[in-house]
Amino acid sequence: GRTDATAEDGAAWVGELCLALNIPMLSQFGIEAKDLPDIADKSANASSMKGIPIEWTREELIGTLENAR
């Protein structure tokens, strides 16, 4: 890794990795923009989110889902 890498560098690397690995976007599973708030709400209450050391806001969850759509 690079000691001078920024968060943007990391995000770009992850995006390139997803393309290289052919990881599908959420829209390829039929998920539409109108579905994201409900998915975010359900995600916030999921047990898997309880182990994360930071608490995401609803807006952060929706934004992340939008980027994955």
Side-chain angles (χ1 to χ4, degrees):
R2 291 184 15 223
T3 57
D4 65 332
T6 64
E8 290 80 12
D9 293 332
W13 180 82
V14 169
E16 292 167 14
L17 180 62
C18 288
L19 288 173
L21 296 175
N22 294 316
I23 297 174
M25 301 296 284
L26 294 177
S27 59
Q28 292 179 276
F29 295 102
I31 295 174
E32 300 177 9
K34 66 179 180 62
D35 302 319
L36 302 183
D38 188 48
I39 294 170
D41 292 340
K42 289 177 180 175
S43 298
N45 293 317
S47 61
S48 59
M49 293 291 281
K50 305 302 181 201
I52 298 175
I54 59 168
E55 187 171 329
W56 290 39
T57 65
R58 184 174 193 258
E59 291 74 25
E60 290 171 325
L61 288 170
I62 291 172
T64 300
L65 291 166
E66 286 172 346
N67 289 333
R69 200 178 75 74

Short mmCIF file of all heavy atoms in Angstrom, two decimals:
data_model
loop_
_atom_site.label_atom_id
_atom_site.label_comp_id
_atom_site.label_asym_id
_atom_site.label_seq_id
_atom_site.Cartn_x
_atom_site.Cartn_y
_atom_site.Cartn_z
N GLY A 1 0.80 -1.18 0.00
CA GLY A 1 0.00 0.00 0.00
C GLY A 1 0.85 1.25 0.00
O GLY A 1 2.06 1.21 0.17
N ARG A 2 0.20 2.35 -0.18
CA ARG A 2 0.87 3.65 -0.20
C ARG A 2 0.59 4.38 1.10
O ARG A 2 -0.56 4.51 1.51
CB ARG A 2 0.36 4.50 -1.36
CG ARG A 2 0.74 4.00 -2.71
CD ARG A 2 0.28 4.92 -3.85
NE ARG A 2 -0.13 6.24 -3.44
CZ ARG A 2 -1.21 6.86 -3.92
NH1 ARG A 2 -1.99 6.26 -4.80
NH2 ARG A 2 -1.52 8.06 -3.53
N THR A 3 1.63 4.87 1.73
CA THR A 3 1.45 5.61 2.98
C THR A 3 0.83 6.98 2.74
O THR A 3 0.27 7.55 3.67
CB THR A 3 2.79 5.78 3.71
OG1 THR A 3 3.71 6.46 2.85
CG2 THR A 3 3.36 4.44 4.12
N ASP A 4 0.88 7.48 1.51
CA ASP A 4 0.31 8.79 1.21
C ASP A 4 -1.08 8.69 0.56
O ASP A 4 -1.63 9.70 0.11
CB ASP A 4 1.24 9.59 0.29
CG ASP A 4 1.41 8.93 -1.08
OD1 ASP A 4 1.29 7.70 -1.18
OD2 ASP A 4 1.68 9.67 -2.04
N ALA A 5 -1.65 7.49 0.53
CA ALA A 5 -2.96 7.30 -0.10
C ALA A 5 -4.04 8.03 0.67
O ALA A 5 -4.03 8.08 1.90
CB ALA A 5 -3.29 5.82 -0.19
N THR A 6 -4.99 8.59 -0.06
CA THR A 6 -6.12 9.30 0.53
C THR A 6 -7.36 8.39 0.54
O THR A 6 -7.35 7.31 -0.08
CB THR A 6 -6.45 10.56 -0.28
OG1 THR A 6 -6.89 10.17 -1.59
CG2 THR A 6 -5.25 11.50 -0.38
N ALA A 7 -8.40 8.84 1.20
CA ALA A 7 -9.66 8.09 1.19
C ALA A 7 -10.18 7.96 -0.23
O ALA A 7 -10.71 6.91 -0.62
CB ALA A 7 -10.68 8.78 2.09
N GLU A 8 -10.01 9.01 -1.02
CA GLU A 8 -10.45 8.97 -2.41
C GLU A 8 -9.67 7.93 -3.21
O GLU A 8 -10.23 7.25 -4.06
CB GLU A 8 -10.31 10.36 -3.06
CG GLU A 8 -11.30 11.38 -2.54
CD GLU A 8 -10.91 11.99 -1.20
OE1 GLU A 8 -9.75 11.81 -0.74
OE2 GLU A 8 -11.78 12.61 -0.57
N ASP A 9 -8.36 7.81 -2.93
CA ASP A 9 -7.55 6.78 -3.58
C ASP A 9 -8.09 5.39 -3.23
O ASP A 9 -8.18 4.51 -4.08
CB ASP A 9 -6.08 6.87 -3.14
CG ASP A 9 -5.39 8.13 -3.61
OD1 ASP A 9 -5.77 8.68 -4.66
OD2 ASP A 9 -4.45 8.57 -2.92
N GLY A 10 -8.43 5.21 -1.97
CA GLY A 10 -8.97 3.92 -1.52
C GLY A 10 -10.29 3.61 -2.19
O GLY A 10 -10.52 2.47 -2.64
N ALA A 11 -11.16 4.60 -2.30
CA ALA A 11 -12.45 4.40 -2.94
C ALA A 11 -12.27 4.06 -4.42
O ALA A 11 -12.95 3.18 -4.95
CB ALA A 11 -13.33 5.64 -2.77
N ALA A 12 -11.34 4.74 -5.08
CA ALA A 12 -11.07 4.45 -6.49
C ALA A 12 -10.54 3.03 -6.65
O ALA A 12 -10.94 2.31 -7.57
CB ALA A 12 -10.08 5.47 -7.06
N TRP A 13 -9.66 2.61 -5.75
CA TRP A 13 -9.09 1.26 -5.82
C TRP A 13 -10.19 0.21 -5.65
O TRP A 13 -10.24 -0.77 -6.38
CB TRP A 13 -8.01 1.10 -4.75
CG TRP A 13 -7.39 -0.25 -4.76
CD1 TRP A 13 -6.38 -0.70 -5.59
CD2 TRP A 13 -7.74 -1.35 -3.92
NE1 TRP A 13 -6.09 -2.01 -5.30
CE2 TRP A 13 -6.91 -2.45 -4.29
CE3 TRP A 13 -8.66 -1.53 -2.90
CZ2 TRP A 13 -6.98 -3.68 -3.67
CZ3 TRP A 13 -8.73 -2.76 -2.29
CH2 TRP A 13 -7.91 -3.82 -2.66
N VAL A 14 -11.08 0.43 -4.69
CA VAL A 14 -12.17 -0.52 -4.47
C VAL A 14 -13.08 -0.58 -5.70
O VAL A 14 -13.49 -1.65 -6.13
CB VAL A 14 -12.98 -0.16 -3.20
CG1 VAL A 14 -14.26 -0.98 -3.11
CG2 VAL A 14 -12.13 -0.37 -1.96
N GLY A 15 -13.36 0.58 -6.30
CA GLY A 15 -14.18 0.61 -7.50
C GLY A 15 -13.55 -0.17 -8.64
O GLY A 15 -14.22 -0.94 -9.33
N GLU A 16 -12.23 0.01 -8.83
CA GLU A 16 -11.52 -0.73 -9.87
C GLU A 16 -11.52 -2.23 -9.57
O GLU A 16 -11.65 -3.05 -10.48
CB GLU A 16 -10.09 -0.20 -9.98
CG GLU A 16 -10.03 1.21 -10.53
CD GLU A 16 -8.66 1.85 -10.36
OE1 GLU A 16 -7.68 1.12 -10.06
OE2 GLU A 16 -8.57 3.07 -10.53
N LEU A 17 -11.36 -2.58 -8.30
CA LEU A 17 -11.37 -3.98 -7.91
C LEU A 17 -12.73 -4.62 -8.20
O LEU A 17 -12.81 -5.74 -8.72
CB LEU A 17 -11.02 -4.13 -6.43
CG LEU A 17 -10.99 -5.55 -5.86
CD1 LEU A 17 -9.92 -6.38 -6.57
CD2 LEU A 17 -10.74 -5.51 -4.36
N CYS A 18 -13.80 -3.90 -7.89
CA CYS A 18 -15.15 -4.42 -8.15
C CYS A 18 -15.35 -4.66 -9.64
O CYS A 18 -15.94 -5.68 -10.03
CB CYS A 18 -16.20 -3.45 -7.62
SG CYS A 18 -16.31 -3.41 -5.83
N LEU A 19 -14.86 -3.75 -10.47
CA LEU A 19 -14.96 -3.95 -11.92
C LEU A 19 -14.14 -5.16 -12.36
O LEU A 19 -14.62 -5.98 -13.15
CB LEU A 19 -14.48 -2.70 -12.67
CG LEU A 19 -15.40 -1.49 -12.62
CD1 LEU A 19 -14.72 -0.28 -13.26
CD2 LEU A 19 -16.72 -1.78 -13.31
N ALA A 20 -12.92 -5.28 -11.85
CA ALA A 20 -12.05 -6.39 -12.23
C ALA A 20 -12.64 -7.74 -11.82
O ALA A 20 -12.47 -8.74 -12.51
CB ALA A 20 -10.67 -6.20 -11.60
N LEU A 21 -13.36 -7.76 -10.69
CA LEU A 21 -13.95 -8.99 -10.19
C LEU A 21 -15.37 -9.22 -10.70
O LEU A 21 -16.03 -10.19 -10.33
CB LEU A 21 -13.95 -8.99 -8.65
CG LEU A 21 -12.57 -8.99 -7.99
CD1 LEU A 21 -12.70 -8.87 -6.48
CD2 LEU A 21 -11.78 -10.24 -8.37
N ASN A 22 -15.85 -8.30 -11.54
CA ASN A 22 -17.21 -8.39 -12.11
C ASN A 22 -18.28 -8.45 -11.03
O ASN A 22 -19.24 -9.23 -11.15
CB ASN A 22 -17.32 -9.58 -13.07
CG ASN A 22 -16.47 -9.40 -14.30
OD1 ASN A 22 -16.44 -8.33 -14.89
ND2 ASN A 22 -15.76 -10.44 -14.67
N ILE A 23 -18.11 -7.67 -9.98
CA ILE A 23 -19.13 -7.62 -8.92
C ILE A 23 -20.29 -6.78 -9.43
O ILE A 23 -20.11 -5.63 -9.81
CB ILE A 23 -18.54 -7.04 -7.62
CG1 ILE A 23 -17.43 -7.97 -7.11
CG2 ILE A 23 -19.63 -6.82 -6.57
CD1 ILE A 23 -16.66 -7.45 -5.92
N PRO A 24 -21.48 -7.34 -9.48
CA PRO A 24 -22.62 -6.61 -10.05
C PRO A 24 -23.10 -5.46 -9.16
O PRO A 24 -22.96 -5.51 -7.94
CB PRO A 24 -23.71 -7.68 -10.19
CG PRO A 24 -23.35 -8.72 -9.18
CD PRO A 24 -21.85 -8.68 -9.05
N MET A 25 -23.64 -4.45 -9.81
CA MET A 25 -24.25 -3.33 -9.11
C MET A 25 -25.64 -3.79 -8.61
O MET A 25 -26.21 -4.74 -9.14
CB MET A 25 -24.40 -2.13 -10.04
CG MET A 25 -23.08 -1.64 -10.63
SD MET A 25 -21.94 -1.00 -9.40
CE MET A 25 -22.65 0.59 -9.07
N LEU A 26 -26.14 -3.11 -7.60
CA LEU A 26 -27.44 -3.48 -7.05
C LEU A 26 -28.56 -3.41 -8.08
O LEU A 26 -29.51 -4.19 -8.03
CB LEU A 26 -27.78 -2.60 -5.84
CG LEU A 26 -26.87 -2.75 -4.62
CD1 LEU A 26 -27.28 -1.76 -3.53
CD2 LEU A 26 -26.90 -4.17 -4.09
N SER A 27 -28.44 -2.49 -9.03
CA SER A 27 -29.49 -2.36 -10.06
C SER A 27 -29.61 -3.62 -10.91
O SER A 27 -30.68 -3.91 -11.44
CB SER A 27 -29.19 -1.16 -10.95
OG SER A 27 -27.93 -1.29 -11.58
N GLN A 28 -28.53 -4.39 -10.99
CA GLN A 28 -28.59 -5.64 -11.75
C GLN A 28 -29.44 -6.70 -11.04
O GLN A 28 -29.78 -7.72 -11.64
CB GLN A 28 -27.19 -6.16 -12.03
CG GLN A 28 -26.44 -5.26 -12.99
CD GLN A 28 -25.04 -5.74 -13.25
OE1 GLN A 28 -24.13 -5.46 -12.49
NE2 GLN A 28 -24.88 -6.49 -14.32
N PHE A 29 -29.78 -6.44 -9.79
CA PHE A 29 -30.66 -7.34 -9.04
C PHE A 29 -32.08 -6.78 -8.98
O PHE A 29 -32.92 -7.27 -8.23
CB PHE A 29 -30.13 -7.55 -7.62
CG PHE A 29 -28.80 -8.25 -7.58
CD1 PHE A 29 -27.64 -7.52 -7.38
CD2 PHE A 29 -28.71 -9.62 -7.76
CE1 PHE A 29 -26.41 -8.16 -7.34
CE2 PHE A 29 -27.49 -10.27 -7.73
CZ PHE A 29 -26.33 -9.53 -7.52
N GLY A 30 -32.35 -5.73 -9.75
CA GLY A 30 -33.67 -5.13 -9.79
C GLY A 30 -33.93 -4.10 -8.71
O GLY A 30 -35.07 -3.66 -8.54
N ILE A 31 -32.90 -3.70 -7.97
CA ILE A 31 -33.08 -2.71 -6.91
C ILE A 31 -33.11 -1.33 -7.54
O ILE A 31 -32.23 -0.94 -8.30
CB ILE A 31 -31.96 -2.83 -5.86
CG1 ILE A 31 -32.09 -4.18 -5.15
CG2 ILE A 31 -32.02 -1.67 -4.87
CD1 ILE A 31 -30.98 -4.50 -4.19
N GLU A 32 -34.18 -0.59 -7.22
CA GLU A 32 -34.38 0.75 -7.76
C GLU A 32 -34.15 1.79 -6.68
O GLU A 32 -34.12 1.48 -5.49
CB GLU A 32 -35.81 0.87 -8.30
CG GLU A 32 -36.11 -0.13 -9.41
CD GLU A 32 -37.54 -0.06 -9.90
OE1 GLU A 32 -38.28 0.88 -9.50
OE2 GLU A 32 -37.93 -0.95 -10.66
N ALA A 33 -33.98 3.04 -7.10
CA ALA A 33 -33.72 4.14 -6.16
C ALA A 33 -34.81 4.23 -5.09
O ALA A 33 -34.52 4.51 -3.93
CB ALA A 33 -33.59 5.46 -6.92
N LYS A 34 -36.04 3.94 -5.47
CA LYS A 34 -37.15 4.03 -4.52
C LYS A 34 -37.04 2.99 -3.41
O LYS A 34 -37.65 3.12 -2.35
CB LYS A 34 -38.50 3.91 -5.24
CG LYS A 34 -38.74 2.54 -5.86
CD LYS A 34 -40.09 2.47 -6.54
CE LYS A 34 -40.37 1.14 -7.17
NZ LYS A 34 -40.40 0.02 -6.27
N ASP A 35 -36.26 1.92 -3.63
CA ASP A 35 -36.10 0.85 -2.65
C ASP A 35 -35.06 1.19 -1.57
O ASP A 35 -35.05 0.56 -0.51
CB ASP A 35 -35.65 -0.44 -3.34
CG ASP A 35 -36.61 -0.91 -4.41
OD1 ASP A 35 -37.84 -0.83 -4.18
OD2 ASP A 35 -36.13 -1.34 -5.48
N LEU A 36 -34.18 2.14 -1.84
CA LEU A 36 -33.03 2.39 -0.98
C LEU A 36 -33.38 2.83 0.44
O LEU A 36 -32.75 2.34 1.40
CB LEU A 36 -32.06 3.36 -1.64
CG LEU A 36 -31.53 2.91 -3.01
CD1 LEU A 36 -30.52 3.91 -3.55
CD2 LEU A 36 -30.96 1.52 -2.95
N PRO A 37 -34.34 3.73 0.66
CA PRO A 37 -34.65 4.10 2.04
C PRO A 37 -35.10 2.92 2.90
O PRO A 37 -34.67 2.79 4.05
CB PRO A 37 -35.77 5.14 1.89
CG PRO A 37 -35.52 5.74 0.56
CD PRO A 37 -35.05 4.59 -0.30
N ASP A 38 -35.90 2.03 2.33
CA ASP A 38 -36.36 0.86 3.07
C ASP A 38 -35.19 -0.08 3.37
O ASP A 38 -35.08 -0.61 4.48
CB ASP A 38 -37.46 0.13 2.29
CG ASP A 38 -38.09 -0.99 3.09
OD1 ASP A 38 -38.46 -0.75 4.27
OD2 ASP A 38 -38.23 -2.10 2.55
N ILE A 39 -34.32 -0.27 2.39
CA ILE A 39 -33.15 -1.12 2.60
C ILE A 39 -32.26 -0.52 3.67
O ILE A 39 -31.74 -1.23 4.54
CB ILE A 39 -32.37 -1.33 1.28
CG1 ILE A 39 -33.22 -2.14 0.29
CG2 ILE A 39 -31.03 -2.00 1.54
CD1 ILE A 39 -32.65 -2.20 -1.11
N ALA A 40 -32.07 0.79 3.64
CA ALA A 40 -31.24 1.47 4.65
C ALA A 40 -31.83 1.29 6.04
O ALA A 40 -31.10 1.00 7.01
CB ALA A 40 -31.10 2.95 4.31
N ASP A 41 -33.14 1.46 6.17
CA ASP A 41 -33.79 1.30 7.48
C ASP A 41 -33.64 -0.12 8.01
O ASP A 41 -33.33 -0.32 9.18
CB ASP A 41 -35.28 1.66 7.38
CG ASP A 41 -35.50 3.15 7.12
OD1 ASP A 41 -34.59 3.95 7.38
OD2 ASP A 41 -36.60 3.49 6.65
N LYS A 42 -33.83 -1.10 7.14
CA LYS A 42 -33.69 -2.49 7.56
C LYS A 42 -32.23 -2.81 7.90
O LYS A 42 -31.96 -3.55 8.85
CB LYS A 42 -34.23 -3.43 6.49
CG LYS A 42 -35.74 -3.36 6.39
CD LYS A 42 -36.28 -4.24 5.28
CE LYS A 42 -37.80 -4.12 5.24
NZ LYS A 42 -38.39 -4.85 4.13
N SER A 43 -31.31 -2.26 7.13
CA SER A 43 -29.89 -2.48 7.39
C SER A 43 -29.48 -1.91 8.75
O SER A 43 -28.69 -2.52 9.47
CB SER A 43 -29.04 -1.83 6.30
OG SER A 43 -29.30 -2.39 5.05
N ALA A 44 -29.99 -0.74 9.07
CA ALA A 44 -29.64 -0.08 10.33
C ALA A 44 -30.03 -0.93 11.54
O ALA A 44 -29.39 -0.86 12.59
CB ALA A 44 -30.31 1.29 10.41
N ASN A 45 -31.05 -1.74 11.38
CA ASN A 45 -31.53 -2.57 12.48
C ASN A 45 -30.99 -4.01 12.43
O ASN A 45 -31.30 -4.81 13.31
CB ASN A 45 -33.06 -2.60 12.49
CG ASN A 45 -33.63 -1.24 12.83
OD1 ASN A 45 -33.15 -0.57 13.73
ND2 ASN A 45 -34.64 -0.81 12.09
N ALA A 46 -30.17 -4.31 11.44
CA ALA A 46 -29.64 -5.67 11.29
C ALA A 46 -28.55 -5.94 12.33
O ALA A 46 -27.79 -5.05 12.70
CB ALA A 46 -29.07 -5.85 9.89
N SER A 47 -28.48 -7.16 12.79
CA SER A 47 -27.49 -7.52 13.80
C SER A 47 -26.06 -7.32 13.28
O SER A 47 -25.16 -7.00 14.06
CB SER A 47 -27.68 -8.98 14.24
OG SER A 47 -27.53 -9.86 13.15
N SER A 48 -25.85 -7.47 11.98
CA SER A 48 -24.50 -7.29 11.43
C SER A 48 -24.01 -5.85 11.56
O SER A 48 -22.81 -5.60 11.59
CB SER A 48 -24.47 -7.71 9.97
OG SER A 48 -25.40 -6.96 9.22
N MET A 49 -24.92 -4.90 11.67
CA MET A 49 -24.53 -3.49 11.83
C MET A 49 -24.18 -3.16 13.28
O MET A 49 -23.53 -2.15 13.53
CB MET A 49 -25.66 -2.57 11.36
CG MET A 49 -25.94 -2.64 9.87
SD MET A 49 -24.62 -1.95 8.87
CE MET A 49 -24.96 -0.21 9.01
N LYS A 50 -24.58 -4.00 14.19
CA LYS A 50 -24.34 -3.72 15.61
C LYS A 50 -22.86 -3.85 15.97
O LYS A 50 -22.39 -3.26 16.92
CB LYS A 50 -25.18 -4.65 16.49
CG LYS A 50 -26.67 -4.61 16.21
CD LYS A 50 -27.25 -3.24 16.35
CE LYS A 50 -28.75 -3.30 16.07
NZ LYS A 50 -29.30 -2.03 15.71
N GLY A 51 -22.09 -4.64 15.20
CA GLY A 51 -20.69 -4.86 15.49
C GLY A 51 -19.77 -3.80 14.90
O GLY A 51 -18.56 -3.84 15.12
N ILE A 52 -20.32 -2.87 14.14
CA ILE A 52 -19.50 -1.82 13.52
C ILE A 52 -19.23 -0.74 14.57
O ILE A 52 -20.14 -0.31 15.27
CB ILE A 52 -20.23 -1.24 12.29
CG1 ILE A 52 -20.44 -2.34 11.24
CG2 ILE A 52 -19.45 -0.08 11.71
CD1 ILE A 52 -21.25 -1.91 10.06
N PRO A 53 -17.97 -0.31 14.69
CA PRO A 53 -17.62 0.64 15.76
C PRO A 53 -18.17 2.06 15.58
O PRO A 53 -18.11 2.85 16.52
CB PRO A 53 -16.09 0.65 15.75
CG PRO A 53 -15.71 0.18 14.40
CD PRO A 53 -16.81 -0.74 13.94
N ILE A 54 -18.72 2.39 14.41
CA ILE A 54 -19.33 3.71 14.22
C ILE A 54 -20.80 3.51 13.87
O ILE A 54 -21.19 2.48 13.34
CB ILE A 54 -18.64 4.53 13.13
CG1 ILE A 54 -18.67 3.79 11.78
CG2 ILE A 54 -17.21 4.87 13.51
CD1 ILE A 54 -18.28 4.64 10.61
N GLU A 55 -21.60 4.50 14.19
CA GLU A 55 -23.01 4.43 13.84
C GLU A 55 -23.26 5.25 12.59
O GLU A 55 -22.94 6.44 12.56
CB GLU A 55 -23.87 4.95 14.99
CG GLU A 55 -25.36 4.75 14.74
CD GLU A 55 -26.21 5.08 15.97
OE1 GLU A 55 -25.71 4.90 17.09
OE2 GLU A 55 -27.35 5.52 15.79
N TRP A 56 -23.78 4.61 11.56
CA TRP A 56 -24.07 5.30 10.31
C TRP A 56 -25.41 6.01 10.40
O TRP A 56 -26.36 5.47 10.97
CB TRP A 56 -24.13 4.31 9.17
CG TRP A 56 -22.82 3.69 8.78
CD1 TRP A 56 -21.83 3.28 9.61
CD2 TRP A 56 -22.38 3.41 7.46
NE1 TRP A 56 -20.80 2.75 8.88
CE2 TRP A 56 -21.11 2.81 7.56
CE3 TRP A 56 -22.94 3.58 6.21
CZ2 TRP A 56 -20.39 2.41 6.44
CZ3 TRP A 56 -22.23 3.17 5.10
CH2 TRP A 56 -20.96 2.61 5.22
N THR A 57 -25.50 7.19 9.81
CA THR A 57 -26.78 7.87 9.71
C THR A 57 -27.57 7.24 8.57
O THR A 57 -27.01 6.56 7.70
CB THR A 57 -26.61 9.37 9.43
OG1 THR A 57 -26.03 9.53 8.12
CG2 THR A 57 -25.74 10.04 10.48
N ARG A 58 -28.84 7.48 8.57
CA ARG A 58 -29.70 6.98 7.49
C ARG A 58 -29.22 7.53 6.15
O ARG A 58 -29.17 6.82 5.14
CB ARG A 58 -31.14 7.40 7.76
CG ARG A 58 -32.15 6.86 6.77
CD ARG A 58 -33.57 7.21 7.23
NE ARG A 58 -34.56 6.45 6.49
CZ ARG A 58 -35.28 6.96 5.50
NH1 ARG A 58 -35.12 8.21 5.12
NH2 ARG A 58 -36.18 6.20 4.89
N GLU A 59 -28.82 8.80 6.14
CA GLU A 59 -28.36 9.44 4.91
C GLU A 59 -27.07 8.79 4.41
O GLU A 59 -26.88 8.63 3.21
CB GLU A 59 -28.15 10.94 5.14
CG GLU A 59 -29.44 11.72 5.35
CD GLU A 59 -30.08 11.50 6.73
OE1 GLU A 59 -29.34 11.15 7.69
OE2 GLU A 59 -31.29 11.64 6.83
N GLU A 60 -26.17 8.43 5.32
CA GLU A 60 -24.93 7.75 4.93
C GLU A 60 -25.23 6.38 4.33
O GLU A 60 -24.61 5.99 3.33
CB GLU A 60 -23.99 7.61 6.12
CG GLU A 60 -23.39 8.92 6.58
CD GLU A 60 -22.63 8.80 7.88
OE1 GLU A 60 -23.06 8.01 8.76
OE2 GLU A 60 -21.63 9.51 8.03
N LEU A 61 -26.15 5.66 4.94
CA LEU A 61 -26.52 4.34 4.42
C LEU A 61 -27.13 4.47 3.01
O LEU A 61 -26.76 3.73 2.08
CB LEU A 61 -27.50 3.64 5.35
CG LEU A 61 -26.91 3.12 6.66
CD1 LEU A 61 -28.02 2.68 7.60
CD2 LEU A 61 -25.95 1.98 6.41
N ILE A 62 -28.04 5.41 2.85
CA ILE A 62 -28.69 5.60 1.55
C ILE A 62 -27.64 6.02 0.51
O ILE A 62 -27.64 5.52 -0.62
CB ILE A 62 -29.84 6.61 1.64
CG1 ILE A 62 -30.99 6.01 2.46
CG2 ILE A 62 -30.33 7.01 0.24
CD1 ILE A 62 -32.10 7.00 2.79
N GLY A 63 -26.72 6.91 0.88
CA GLY A 63 -25.68 7.34 -0.03
C GLY A 63 -24.79 6.20 -0.48
O GLY A 63 -24.42 6.08 -1.66
N THR A 64 -24.45 5.32 0.45
CA THR A 64 -23.62 4.16 0.12
C THR A 64 -24.38 3.22 -0.81
O THR A 64 -23.82 2.71 -1.79
CB THR A 64 -23.21 3.42 1.41
OG1 THR A 64 -22.46 4.32 2.22
CG2 THR A 64 -22.39 2.19 1.11
N LEU A 65 -25.66 3.03 -0.54
CA LEU A 65 -26.48 2.19 -1.42
C LEU A 65 -26.61 2.82 -2.81
O LEU A 65 -26.57 2.11 -3.82
CB LEU A 65 -27.86 1.96 -0.81
CG LEU A 65 -27.88 1.08 0.43
CD1 LEU A 65 -29.22 1.21 1.15
CD2 LEU A 65 -27.59 -0.37 0.07
N GLU A 66 -26.75 4.14 -2.87
CA GLU A 66 -26.83 4.82 -4.17
C GLU A 66 -25.55 4.59 -4.97
O GLU A 66 -25.59 4.36 -6.17
CB GLU A 66 -27.06 6.33 -3.97
CG GLU A 66 -28.46 6.67 -3.54
CD GLU A 66 -28.64 8.12 -3.16
OE1 GLU A 66 -27.63 8.84 -2.98
OE2 GLU A 66 -29.79 8.54 -3.02
N ASN A 67 -24.41 4.63 -4.29
CA ASN A 67 -23.14 4.41 -4.98
C ASN A 67 -23.01 2.98 -5.48
O ASN A 67 -22.29 2.72 -6.45
CB ASN A 67 -21.97 4.74 -4.06
CG ASN A 67 -21.82 6.22 -3.83
OD1 ASN A 67 -22.21 7.03 -4.64
ND2 ASN A 67 -21.27 6.57 -2.69
N ALA A 68 -23.68 2.05 -4.82
CA ALA A 68 -23.62 0.64 -5.21
C ALA A 68 -24.71 0.26 -6.20
O ALA A 68 -24.74 -0.87 -6.67
CB ALA A 68 -23.74 -0.24 -3.96
N ARG A 69 -25.59 1.18 -6.49
CA ARG A 69 -26.70 0.89 -7.38
C ARG A 69 -26.28 1.14 -8.80
O ARG A 69 -26.56 0.53 -9.73
CB ARG A 69 -27.90 1.74 -7.03
CG ARG A 69 -29.21 1.19 -7.56
CD ARG A 69 -30.38 2.00 -7.17
NE ARG A 69 -30.50 3.23 -7.92
CZ ARG A 69 -30.89 3.30 -9.18
NH1 ARG A 69 -31.18 2.22 -9.85
NH2 ARG A 69 -31.00 4.45 -9.77
#
